[in-house]
Amino acid sequence: MIFSKNPLLDSLIGSAIGSVSTGPPITSYIIGGELLKEGVSLIAVTAFMVAWVTVGVIQFPFESIMLTVKFALIRNATSFLFSIVVAIVTVLLLNNGW
Amino acid sequence: MARHNRAKRRNISWFFVAAVIFIYVVIACVDLSLFSKSVVLFSNLIIKIIPIFIIIYVLMTVTHYFITPDFVTKHFIESGMRKWIFIIIGGILSTGPIYMWYPLLADLRKRGIQYGYIATFLYSRAIKVPLLPVILFYFSAKYVFVLTATMIIMSVLQGIAINKILQFEQ
């Protein structure tokens, strides 16, 4: 199991795996749901699913051709960081009675 | 280029199917009980999600019919708060592969639309209304609501951040 019990590290690992994965979002939901059943933390699963749909490592070459390398770099880097933030905020809100 | 990428993705999909079938055949030769166990698991999963796929298909057909590139282009030209709202809604409702949207977004950029708005549109695309049945199948409605709201806020923050970063660099 590559996931630990450290929320920050788990979200980082989830985001990293989600970033390099590609495919329709539906696949990420199914994998995420199954990971959750296997005991992976919600924070890691959320980071994984959000990174899957927002970070486009595979699409990067085409994105950089169409919208410049600088934009593609900044967008993907911020999407990666935001996937961790989204995971932490979502789980914090849920744990605080939302 | 988009057509080339689509053809390439189609080929990769067939390779993937072929690889999965090959793995199943190998497992059947090595361990028949493991093979039958995985076939039962796979069949149960498919039976469970077939109704969801039908709902998704209907929702995707409807959104694909109404949310066209022309619709998005028209609303990128709005101003102020309305612009943000239309970009987010356009992103959420837009369908099809991302490759189809890059040329349109590049064209909008040439017409003076700031990169931040393009980033917000791309981020909002991550929220998929037609796929809600699947995510609700695995996660609670409360989770889906909180995640969606957080992602909408984050899409705006990313747009603002990218506008600031690129303005600062210029």
Side-chain angles (χ1 to χ4, degrees), chain A residues 14-15 17-18 21 28 31-32 35 43-53:
Chain A
S15 291
I17 299 170
S21 310
S28 73
I31 297 173
L35 284 173
I43 206 161
V45 169
T46 308
F48 166 78
M49 293 193 305
V50 175
W52 180 299
V53 286

Side-chain angles (χ1 to χ4, degrees), chain B residues 49-68:
Chain B
I49 61 176
I50 275 179
I52 297 166
F53 274 121
I54 294 167
I55 299 169
I56 289 167
Y57 184 76
V58 172
L59 286 172
M60 284 183 88
T61 308
V62 172
T63 48
H64 193 77
Y65 184 77
F66 289 106
I67 311 299
T68 59

Side-chain angles (χ1 to χ4, degrees), chain B residues 76-135:
Chain B
F76 258 76
I77 298 154
E78 297 279 346
S79 59
M81 193 68 179
R82 279 167 66 91
K83 188 175 197 161
W84 285 106
I85 293 167
F86 276 118
I87 287 168
I88 292 165
I89 293 172
I92 293 171
L93 297 179
S94 66
T95 54
I98 186 67
Y99 300 104
M100 192 184 91
W101 291 93
Y102 284 139
L104 169 85
L105 297 173
D107 184 53
L108 286 170
R109 175 63 201 142
K110 276 183 203 149
R111 288 198 232 167
I113 299 292
Q114 285 180 299
Y115 276 122
Y117 296 114
I118 294 171
T120 298
F121 177 82
L122 290 172
Y123 203 95
S124 307
R125 270 180 56 85
I127 302 160
K128 301 282 181 199
V129 177
L131 301 183
L132 274 178
V134 179
I135 197 165

Side-chain angles (χ1 to χ4, degrees), chain A residues 15-87:
Chain A
S15 291
I17 299 170
S19 301
V20 293
S21 310
T22 187
I26 194 167
T27 318
S28 73
Y29 303 154
I30 295 169
I31 297 173
E34 296 301 327
L35 284 173
L36 205 62
K37 277 187 203 163
E38 292 299 315
V40 175
S41 66
L42 185 60
I43 206 161
V45 169
T46 308
F48 166 78
M49 293 193 305
V50 175
W52 180 299
V53 286
T54 57
V55 183
V57 172
I58 309 295
Q59 298 95 315
F60 183 84
F62 193 45
E63 184 177 346
S64 54
I65 289 169
M66 299 307 291
L67 296 162
T68 74
V69 176
K70 192 190 279 180
F71 170 77
L73 264 177
I74 296 171
R75 194 193 72 78
N76 282 291
T78 49
S79 293
F80 178 79
L81 289 176
F82 284 175
S83 66
I84 298 168
V85 176
V86 167

